[in-house]
Amino acid sequence: MQNTNSYGGEGAAPISAPHSGARNINARDSHISPSEIAIGVVIGRASEYFDFFVYAIASVLVFPAVFFPWADRLEGTLYAFTIFAFAFIARPIGTILFMKIQERFSREVKLTVSLFLMGTATVVISFLPTYAQIGTTSIVLLSLMRIAQGVAQGGSWDGLPSLLALNAPENKRGWYAMLGQLSAPLGFVIAAGLFAYLLDNLQTDDFLVWGWRYPFYVAFAINVVALFARLRLVSTTEYSRLLDSHELDPAPVGELVRTQGANIVIGALAALASYALFHLVTVFPLSWMQLYDTRPISGFLYIQMWGAGVAAICILLSGLIADKIGRRTTLGIFAALIAIFSAFVPMLLEGGEAGQNTFILVGFGLLGLSYGQAAGAVTSNFASRFRYTGAALTSDLAWLVGAAFAPLIALGLSANFGLGYVSLYLLSGAVGSLAALSLNRKLEIRD
């Protein structure tokens, strides 16, 4: 007979229980509030966004010169943006792979392996030899590390956003839904601030030889801190009970796609405007400034950091608005505003510093208002046993369709046909969101 002694008080997971892991060390009987879950979401996702933006900024400022020196600046940046997209393609693969790891071992093992993979891939990038040193092998290695980042990001799904959405008070669901989204401006400010500081304090040669590598070093330390912060919450018995009560465990992917495929697609498309705008105010304008404007890049990064601050305020506002009028209505209104904003892209980006600053501040504001409610907008559409895996794959598809190729497409269109085509690209994302939200009204909503 198995020993079922438990540690940490009555109700703690028995040491022989499957998937108990570190849970026995931190077992407790106290109630986990939505606020505690929200803290775990913010800390965990902030590390992911920091990694994301460090790579994105380096794709503009560093990689064209370091890995594609034989190409002109535009061509080199397009190559860098192509590799940038690899992570989003690999992300669903990581989700499926690490769901299997969770089923075989535990959620703690899954998180530990995925975040160490993310940190290791990011640090390896900082040590990569340049094209001048080892030729095309450097590009292959960069691509492999970017794919590894995508796989790891897919594996880092811990169920906290779904758990937060399902445990928030009914009249506060919009507020709690937006809290995890605050990680995006936080991650951007830290990443952009590091690069701006390095650009201001290093000669160009020093920055391109060794300075750019420092933010990639920092990423590993941030991932370790985030890992322990998340494990501290995830490994508790009460968290496990909450997951069990909502059936937030991996589900067979084939069955999920067969029975819930429409919800995955609609969930991804509902936030399409937000995800398209995401890169059109962060990565794309940075590349456009680098190529076609003479203002200092560090100064532009500081403006973007101010924009991220505006986005954070607007993310908070989105929670208040959504609780008044509903999350789907909120997404629809701001998708329509993004469609209107798209018409002004050429005028603002070609309008000198004042126009460019307006583009950044207004664009980040709209991003905050829409992106604040982009996560989990249709989580309740999933049957309970599919929520965990369904939410993860919906997020993967949203990033893949809306954001993966946005910098590449926007820069390619603007360079070859003019900024007006960037307006059409953003408009198409807004139209896609409005269509998906309209269709979603007809779906059965499950508690």
Side-chain angles (χ1 to χ4, degrees), residues 151-437:
V151 171
Q153 197 162 40
S156 67
W157 181 255
D158 53 17
L160 285 173
S162 293
L163 192 63
L164 178 60
L166 294 168
N167 281 275
E170 188 172 350
N171 62 340
K172 291 284 187 180
R173 285 178 180 170
W175 177 260
Y176 282 102
M178 68 79 193
L179 290 175
Q181 306 299 73
L182 287 170
S183 305
L186 175 60
F188 182 83
V189 166
I190 299 172
L194 269 175
F195 275 101
Y197 176 83
L198 292 169
L199 287 170
D200 279 341
N201 290 276
L202 295 177
Q203 297 294 325
T204 300
D205 287 346
D206 290 333
F207 174 74
L208 291 176
V209 171
W210 60 268
W212 68 271
R213 301 175 186 271
Y214 178 72
F216 287 88
Y217 298 145
V218 174
F220 185 80
I222 291 178
N223 272 284
V224 171
V225 173
L227 171 63
F228 282 102
R230 291 163 84 174
L231 287 178
R232 184 177 179 274
L233 180 61
V234 171
S235 64
T236 60
T237 304
E238 186 62 27
Y239 175 82
S240 180
R241 290 189 186 123
L242 286 172
L243 287 168
D244 291 341
S245 67
H246 290 297
E247 301 182 46
L248 290 175
D249 283 313
V253 174
E255 185 181 356
L256 169 68
V257 173
R258 193 166 55 251
T259 62
Q260 307 281 305
N263 287 335
I264 294 175
V265 174
I266 291 173
L269 294 180
L272 189 59
S274 298
Y275 284 94
L277 184 61
F278 194 96
H279 281 156
L280 294 187
V281 295
T282 55
V283 185
F284 164 68
L286 191 63
S287 65
W288 197 84
M289 291 294 148
Q290 178 87 334
L291 290 165
Y292 302 115
D293 204 274
T294 58
R295 68 187 296 184
I297 291 298
S298 61
F300 188 71
L301 282 171
Y302 289 125
I303 292 296
Q304 288 188 302
M305 290 168 66
W306 279 105
V310 172
I313 294 171
C314 289
I315 286 174
L316 293 170
L317 289 175
S318 78
L320 299 174
I321 295 169
D323 285 331
K324 291 290 184 182
I325 64 176
R327 282 184 288 170
R328 288 173 182 79
T329 303
T330 300
L331 280 172
I333 290 173
F334 292 119
L337 289 178
I338 289 171
I340 296 171
F341 175 71
S342 68
F344 295 92
V345 171
M347 181 183 72
L348 293 175
L349 283 179
E350 294 178 333
E353 286 197 18
Q356 293 158 3
N357 294 348
T358 301
F359 172 82
I360 292 300
L361 297 176
V362 174
F364 266 102
L366 287 173
L367 176 64
L369 290 167
S370 59
Y371 190 66
Q373 298 302 311
V378 292
T379 297
S380 58
N381 287 354
F382 288 105
S384 57
R385 67 182 293 257
F386 293 115
R387 278 174 179 154
Y388 181 74
T389 308
L393 289 177
T394 299
S395 177
D396 293 343
L397 184 61
W399 281 108
L400 178 59
V401 174
F405 299 98
L408 177 66
I409 294 172
L411 183 58
L413 288 174
S414 62
N416 292 287
F417 304 104
L419 288 168
Y421 283 84
V422 179
S423 294
L424 293 176
Y425 177 72
L426 183 56
L427 177 63
S428 68
V431 170
S433 284
L434 291 170
L437 290 167

Side-chain angles (χ1 to χ4, degrees), residues 14-223:
I15 198 165
S16 61
H19 315 314
S20 60
R23 194 172 293 133
N24 294 294
I25 299 173
N26 294 313
R28 66 183 189 184
D29 293 321
S30 58
H31 172 68
I32 295 181
S33 69
S35 297
E36 289 182 276
I37 301 172
I39 292 171
V41 174
V42 172
I43 293 174
R45 298 188 72 190
S47 67
E48 296 173 15
Y49 280 112
F50 176 76
D51 289 355
F52 173 91
F53 283 119
V54 163
Y55 191 98
I57 295 172
S59 293
V60 176
L61 304 182
V62 178
F63 295 162
V66 171
F67 294 104
F68 306 101
W70 41 267
D72 63 43
R73 190 74 193 194
L74 171 61
E75 188 180 3
T77 305
L78 292 174
Y79 284 135
F81 282 165
T82 300
I83 296 176
F84 174 76
F86 288 175
F88 300 97
I89 299 171
R91 186 168 167 166
I93 299 171
T95 294
I96 296 169
L97 173 64
F98 278 91
M99 290 289 179
K100 295 295 183 183
I101 291 175
Q102 179 177 332
E103 289 175 349
R104 176 67 178 83
F105 299 101
S106 69
R107 197 180 312 268
E108 295 95 325
V109 170
K110 168 190 162 180
L111 281 176
T112 301
V113 174
S114 65
L115 287 179
F116 268 97
L117 175 61
M118 172 68 81
T120 300
T122 305
V123 167
V124 168
I125 291 173
S126 71
F127 286 104
L128 285 181
T130 66
Y131 182 89
Q133 294 170 315
I134 60 173
T136 55
T137 303
S138 66
I139 300 174
V140 173
L141 292 174
L142 178 66
S143 301
L144 291 174
M145 291 305 101
R146 184 58 178 163
I147 292 170
Q149 284 185 321
V151 171
Q153 197 162 40
S156 67
W157 181 255
D158 53 17
L160 285 173
S162 293
L163 192 63
L164 178 60
L166 294 168
N167 281 275
E170 188 172 350
N171 62 340
K172 291 284 187 180
R173 285 178 180 170
W175 177 260
Y176 282 102
M178 68 79 193
L179 290 175
Q181 306 299 73
L182 287 170
S183 305
L186 175 60
F188 182 83
V189 166
I190 299 172
L194 269 175
F195 275 101
Y197 176 83
L198 292 169
L199 287 170
D200 279 341
N201 290 276
L202 295 177
Q203 297 294 325
T204 300
D205 287 346
D206 290 333
F207 174 74
L208 291 176
V209 171
W210 60 268
W212 68 271
R213 301 175 186 271
Y214 178 72
F216 287 88
Y217 298 145
V218 174
F220 185 80
I222 291 178
N223 272 284

